[in-house]
Amino acid sequence: MMDLSYQLPSLVRSLQEAWLLTGQSATLLSAAFAISAILLLLNSQFFSSAASRTSLEVLFVFSYCSVVFNSAAAISAFVIVQKVSGVALVASRQTTQAPKDGQISVRYDLLRRYGVGRSWAWVVWYWILNSSLEQCVCSFNSSCKSGCMKAAQ
């Protein structure tokens, strides 16, 4: 059974909107980084004439790593968006409704109580890990690219 008149509490709704905006932005940003890493891989023959073989191998490795980490971060951000967008639907189907007013413990995961799912924390930590790794790889990759460009000149 589903309660058609169910409305999320304002705090839960604002958390939902914040996570939706964060997830959508992260998906677009990670996808853009993945596309730029793919373009760097495709245009790497420009560097092959003057750069050393070792620097090209490092550039390839970090470009592939960047594609993998950015793709994983984009997918996990998309999963976050999907999980958060279904909170109202899942909460309306629950047989025991979560409280709509009063106070709850600060340590308690509010979105999980309203139906975001048990894997919520794992998905968020996976996204944070991949986003951090993608930033490290992208920054190192851009320094490798600039070194290869100097060698090509």
Side-chain angles (χ1 to χ4, degrees):
M1 278 298 215
M2 184 185 315
D3 183 8
L4 296 177
S5 63
Y6 181 79
Q7 298 234 347
L8 287 173
S10 60
L11 177 62
V12 177
R13 192 172 48 249
S14 68
L15 277 173
Q16 179 190 29
E17 291 170 0
W19 273 107
L20 281 172
L21 182 63
T22 301
Q24 289 168 347
S25 302
T27 301
L28 289 175
L29 187 63
S30 297
F33 279 141
I35 290 169
S36 66
I38 290 170
L39 290 175
L40 180 64
L41 275 171
L42 293 175
N43 293 323
S44 61
Q45 72 268 6
F46 170 73
F47 306 118
S48 62
S49 60
S52 70
R53 181 162 173 78
T54 306
S55 61
L56 282 175
E57 288 176 359
V58 168
L59 183 65
F60 281 131
V61 167
F62 281 104
S63 293
Y64 282 121
C65 288
S66 181
V67 170
V68 169
F69 291 139
N70 284 307
S71 299
I75 291 169
S76 59
F78 180 72
V79 170
I80 287 172
V81 168
Q82 292 303 310
K83 284 184 166 293
V84 172
S85 63
V87 166
L89 179 64
V90 173
S92 70
R93 289 181 180 171
Q94 290 178 347
T95 56
T96 58
Q97 295 292 329
K100 290 189 175 189
D101 56 4
Q103 296 180 351
I104 62 170
S105 172
V106 175
R107 295 180 300 175
Y108 197 82
D109 191 358
L110 189 60
L111 287 175
R112 189 179 302 171
R113 184 170 191 154
Y114 281 88
V116 80
R118 289 183 293 207
S119 63
W120 169 249
W122 291 104
V123 172
V124 170
W125 282 110
Y126 183 76
W127 169 64
I128 290 171
L129 174 70
N130 279 303
S131 298
S132 301
L133 288 173
E134 79 176 90
Q135 292 305 314
C136 293
V137 168
C138 281
S139 62
F140 191 78
N141 200 6
S142 65
S143 66
C144 286
K145 179 184 170 187
S146 64
C148 286
M149 288 180 77
K150 286 178 186 176
Q153 290 176 352

